[in-house]
Amino acid sequence: MSARPQLAADVARWTCPHGLHAGNGCVACYHASAEADPMLPLWEIAVWFTSERPMPIRVLKDVRRHGRRFALDQPSTPLVYLLSGQARAATGTEAVAGLVGFLIENRHIVDAFTVTEIRAVAGCGCFP
């Protein structure tokens, strides 16, 4: 995600249970979030990424149809996108890895991308 070297502690902090860096995504974490225990924390996740090609507006709207509370938006900067959503996971790292895993699983949405920034905040989980 960054051109600068990361400390070993930072790398470990952002490594999912499957051994992958959350910013690179994990399809296993994505699938696990679909069947996650409802008692796990509900995470609000945001992933900014760049794409080599523009995505059609239809694609941006179609992401909402996945029923996973995901949204794909394009800020005013060309070829920069924001994928946001909610997921239940034990940690923020798993939640981020799962959201980026969604992009990997759905290569028809975006075939090549580079994650530039990630955020995960635990919500109260009060709302289904």
Side-chain angles (χ1 to χ4, degrees):
M1 284 193 14
S2 174
R4 67 178 192 253
Q6 291 186 319
L7 298 172
D10 287 339
V11 171
R13 179 176 159 233
W14 287 106
T15 300
C16 80
H18 305 100
L20 301 172
H21 190 283
N24 294 331
C26 178
V27 174
C29 284
Y30 167 64
H31 288 291
S33 70
E35 300 171 5
D37 181 344
M39 298 307 290
L40 288 173
L42 181 64
W43 294 88
E44 298 284 339
I45 315 138
V47 174
W48 287 263
F49 65 94
T50 59
S51 174
E52 295 177 3
R53 287 177 276 197
M55 284 188 260
I57 293 195
R58 174 190 53 78
V59 170
L60 297 174
K61 293 179 180 178
D62 282 349
V63 169
R64 296 180 194 276
R65 294 185 187 174
H66 286 268
R68 304 277 304 272
R69 297 183 176 148
F70 294 168
L72 182 60
D73 298 300
Q74 183 177 21
S76 59
T77 308
L79 304 179
V80 174
Y81 298 91
L82 169 62
L83 178 61
S84 59
Q86 296 179 329
R88 294 206 180 269
T91 67
T93 300
E94 291 175 59
V96 169
L99 189 63
V100 179
F102 165 79
L103 290 175
I104 295 168
E105 178 82 359
N106 293 283
R107 286 290 186 176
H108 63 280
I109 293 173
V110 57
D111 56 356
F113 62 91
T114 301
V115 172
T116 58
E117 192 169 339
I118 53 179
R119 297 276 189 269
V121 177
C124 70
C126 305
F127 305 101

